[in-house]
């Protein structure tokens, strides 16, 4: 039985039922030329369900709730992505969804034992450095993408999970303070501040300011976890200084932001419907036309607008499936985060990992949903697990592994002490 009272097969049945319900809607209301198209989609979704439900039974853990929720979300995203404009199986998205599941399990194993991972923390600083260098050397002039011809890669997406990881792995360094002049200094704190500054400068240089709030959320949550660390005892002057510096950076960024950013912050989309406000106007119109229950899978027109399956996907789902379905997708992602944080944490390390991964997901969801609804300026950030995009999906898979590692209640069984015979020949522990 699972902790929530449902059996493994009970929660598996609920996941299958959710997919079957959506697939039934595709068959009944979908826009397709050949019945083969929804049949291929249905077969792919159900095969992945059965295969994953079978595979995770061989992974020893106390609960499978998170795994089933994750495959539920990913298959829902496959169904959504296969219906924009017309029902056609989204094979590429399906492959990356499978890879995300694999990376989730790999990341879970990697960070399960905090002692193993903390000893290798500088490897992750090095990985961040390599990713930053790859952006500067191989993406072209002030770009974030590496074009390999058959596929494009966005290295900045992979910086996010490793940025979360370095904040968690360096916690133990808070116990080692060094006297510099009249201050007690933790070297890792200053390294993290430097890494954060480099990432901010990189995003600024590459004109990808929409991702800055996500990195800022990770840094802010990481700082909060360090302040709350039981043995941290950080100087109040240091905390005030960091907060003041962050405030100055935010004010300066808003004041001296490039012209295209200032224009986006101040544009009246309805007064400029055919210019800078065109994309958001189309997104809002699509939400309104979709109503609560949508036009039907494949019956929307927003798919003709650039970034309909990535940056404004919330609007695309709302148009074809309805606002209820779009909100349900967001709720399912929130449920993944909630499942990870409501359990008793394995360790402070795993708590920090869960908080950091949750910060990435919540920040990106907020930017995507509120940007699509014109509640904030349009940022061009993907919706985790739902938006099209290989780099984003793979990075989300790694972050999901962090969440899973935080929610599993048992992570390490200490070895039994070696036995030796006593004078009477009985076995005793050392």
């Amino acid at each position: 039985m699972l902790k929530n009272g449902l059996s493994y097969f009970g929660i598996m049945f609920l996941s299958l039922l959710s997919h079957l319900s959506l697939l039934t809607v595709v068959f009944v209301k979908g826009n397709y030329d050949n019945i083969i198209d929804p049949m291929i989609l249905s077969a792919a979704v159900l095969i992945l369900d059965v295969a994953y439900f079978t595979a995770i039974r061989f992974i020893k853990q106390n609960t499978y709730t998170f795994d089933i929720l994750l495959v539920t979300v990913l298959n829902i995203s496959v169904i959504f992505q296969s219906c924009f404009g017309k029902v056609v199986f989204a094979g590429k998205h399906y492959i990356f969804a499978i890879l995300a599941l694999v990376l989730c399990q790999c990341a879970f194993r990697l960070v399960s034992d905090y002692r193993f991972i903390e000893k290798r923390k500088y490897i992750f600083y090095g990985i961040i450095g390599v990713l930053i260098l790859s952006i500067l050397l191989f993406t072209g002039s002030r770009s974030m993408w590496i074009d390999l011809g058959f596929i494009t890669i966005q290295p900045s997406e992979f910086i996010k999970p490793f940025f979360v990881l370095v904040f968690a792995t360096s916690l133990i360094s808070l116990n080692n303070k060094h006297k510099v002049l009249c201050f007690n200094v933790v070297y890792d704190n200053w390294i993290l501040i430097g890494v954060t500054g480099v990432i901010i400068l990189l995003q600024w240089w590459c004109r990808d300011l929409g991702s800055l709030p996500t990195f800022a959320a990770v840094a802010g949550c990481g700082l909060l976890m360090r302040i709350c660390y039981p043995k941290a005892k950080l100087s109040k002057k240091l905390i005030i200084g960091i907060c003041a510096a962050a405030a100055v950076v935010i004010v300066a960024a808003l004041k001296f932001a490039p012209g295209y950013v200032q224009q986006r912050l101040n544009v009246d989309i309805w007064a400029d419907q055919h210019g800078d406000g065109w994309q958001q106007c189309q997104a809002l119109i699509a939400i309104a036309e979709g109503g609560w229950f949508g036009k039907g899978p494949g019956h929307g027109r927003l798919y003709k607008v650039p970034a309909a399956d990535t940056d404004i996907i919330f609007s695309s789902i709302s148009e074809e499936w309805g606002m209820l379905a779009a909100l349900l997708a967001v709720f399912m992602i929130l449920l993944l985060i909630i499942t990870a944080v409501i359990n008793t944490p394995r360790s402070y390390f795993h708590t920090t990992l869960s908080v950091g991964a949750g910060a990435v997901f919540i920040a990106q969801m907020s930017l995507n949903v509120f940007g699509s609804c014109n509640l904030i300026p349009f940022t061009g950030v993907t919706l985790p697990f739902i938006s099209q995009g290989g780099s984003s999906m793979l990075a989300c898979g790694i972050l999901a592994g962090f969440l899973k590692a935080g929610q599993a209640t048992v992570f390490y069984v200490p070895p039994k002490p070696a036995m030796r015979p006593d004078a009477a020949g009985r076995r005793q522990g050392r």
Side-chain angles (χ1 to χ4, degrees):
M1 299 290 288
L2 298 175
K3 289 188 175 181
N4 58 7
L6 291 173
S7 67
Y8 167 78
F9 291 101
I11 193 170
M12 182 183 69
F13 173 75
L14 290 177
S15 176
L16 282 170
L17 184 62
S18 67
H19 295 151
L20 287 170
S21 299
L22 292 177
L23 291 170
T24 301
V25 175
V26 173
F27 275 99
V28 174
K29 298 180 62 178
N31 175 25
Y32 50 87
D33 296 327
N34 195 316
I35 193 69
I36 296 298
D37 292 318
M39 289 178 66
I40 293 173
L41 171 61
S42 301
V45 169
L46 296 178
I47 287 172
L48 180 55
D49 276 342
V50 174
Y52 194 67
F53 294 154
T54 303
I56 60 175
R57 293 294 287 174
F58 294 96
I59 301 174
K60 188 177 181 180
Q61 56 195 57
N62 284 356
T63 175
Y64 298 94
T65 306
F66 184 88
D67 297 278
I68 296 175
L69 282 173
L70 180 59
V71 76
T72 302
V73 170
L74 287 172
N75 263 336
I76 287 174
S77 76
V78 170
I79 295 171
F80 286 159
Q81 288 286 351
S82 299
C83 296
F84 295 142
K86 184 172 288 188
V87 178
V88 178
F89 175 54
K92 182 179 177 181
H93 188 75
Y94 183 73
I95 292 171
F96 279 111
I98 294 174
L99 292 175
L101 290 172
V102 173
L103 284 178
C104 173
Q105 301 302 330
C106 293
F108 165 65
R109 292 299 180 190
L110 176 66
V111 301
S112 290
D113 190 340
Y114 70 93
R115 291 169 296 185
F116 170 83
I117 203 75
E118 283 181 342
K119 292 177 181 178
R120 294 157 178 81
K121 63 181 179 180
Y122 290 111
I123 294 176
F124 307 116
Y125 285 110
I127 292 174
I128 291 176
V130 170
L131 290 170
I132 291 173
L133 283 176
S134 69
I135 293 172
L136 295 174
L137 297 177
F138 303 116
T139 57
S141 177
R142 303 186 70 176
S143 173
M144 297 296 290
W145 296 87
I146 298 177
D147 189 353
L148 300 178
F150 64 96
I151 192 173
T152 55
I153 301 173
Q154 190 176 8
S156 62
E157 288 293 328
F158 297 104
I159 293 177
K160 295 173 185 176
F162 290 105
F163 193 45
V164 171
L165 198 52
V166 294
F167 270 99
T169 53
S170 60
L171 282 168
I172 197 170
S173 66
L174 294 172
N175 298 325
N176 303 318
K177 296 180 174 64
H178 304 271
K179 198 74 173 181
V180 177
L181 299 178
C182 58
F183 298 98
N184 289 321
V185 174
V186 177
Y187 293 148
D188 281 74
N189 287 344
W190 290 101
I191 293 174
L192 287 169
I193 292 172
V195 171
T196 304
V198 169
I199 291 174
I200 291 173
L201 290 174
L202 177 70
Q203 298 297 120
W204 188 282
W205 171 254
C206 294
R207 294 168 293 194
D208 186 27
L209 301 184
S211 297
L212 275 182
T214 303
F215 287 107
V218 174
C221 289
L223 175 61
L224 180 63
M225 296 303 295
R226 299 176 86 77
I227 293 173
C228 297
Y229 186 68
K231 298 181 181 180
K233 297 181 180 178
L234 296 180
S235 166
K236 293 181 179 178
K237 293 180 180 179
L238 176 61
I239 297 171
I240 293 172
I242 293 174
C243 293
V248 170
V249 169
I250 292 172
V251 172
L254 292 174
K255 183 174 179 60
F256 299 106
Y260 72 95
V261 175
Q262 296 284 3
Q263 190 171 8
R264 183 172 293 179
L265 289 171
N266 300 304
V267 65
D268 181 351
I269 64 170
W270 298 111
D272 192 14
Q273 295 185 40
H274 302 288
D276 291 331
W278 179 73
Q279 195 172 28
Q280 276 187 298
C281 285
Q282 297 302 310
L284 289 175
I285 292 171
I287 293 174
E289 290 181 347
W292 287 110
F293 303 105
K295 296 178 176 179
H299 290 284
R301 60 178 183 81
L302 192 62
Y303 74 95
K304 300 177 182 179
V305 176
D309 58 353
T310 54
D311 303 341
I312 53 174
I313 192 170
F314 183 82
S315 300
S316 299
I317 297 171
S318 297
E319 181 187 29
E320 297 196 356
W321 293 86
M323 178 65 77
L324 284 177
L327 292 175
L328 177 62
V330 172
F331 174 76
M332 291 294 292
I333 301 171
L334 288 174
L335 198 58
L336 280 173
I337 303 170
I338 293 169
T339 301
V341 299
I342 62 174
N343 289 286
T344 303
R346 298 177 172 192
S347 64
Y348 203 84
F349 164 81
H350 290 98
T351 303
T352 306
L353 271 185
S354 297
V355 170
V360 173
F361 290 145
I362 291 174
Q364 291 196 186
M365 280 192 300
S366 301
L367 292 170
N368 187 283
V369 174
F370 295 151
S372 296
C373 298
N374 197 39
L375 296 176
I376 61 173
F378 187 69
T379 57
V381 174
T382 57
L383 187 62
F385 300 113
I386 307 296
S387 292
Q388 182 74 257
S391 299
S392 175
M393 182 69 83
L394 298 182
C396 287
I398 298 172
L399 290 165
F402 295 169
L403 287 175
K404 179 181 175 180
Q407 64 92 42
T409 54
V410 175
F411 75 99
Y412 177 74
V413 179
K416 294 181 180 180
M419 305 295 288
R420 62 182 180 183
D422 61 6
R426 292 172 298 199
R427 305 289 290 180
Q428 291 183 333
R430 293 185 184 274

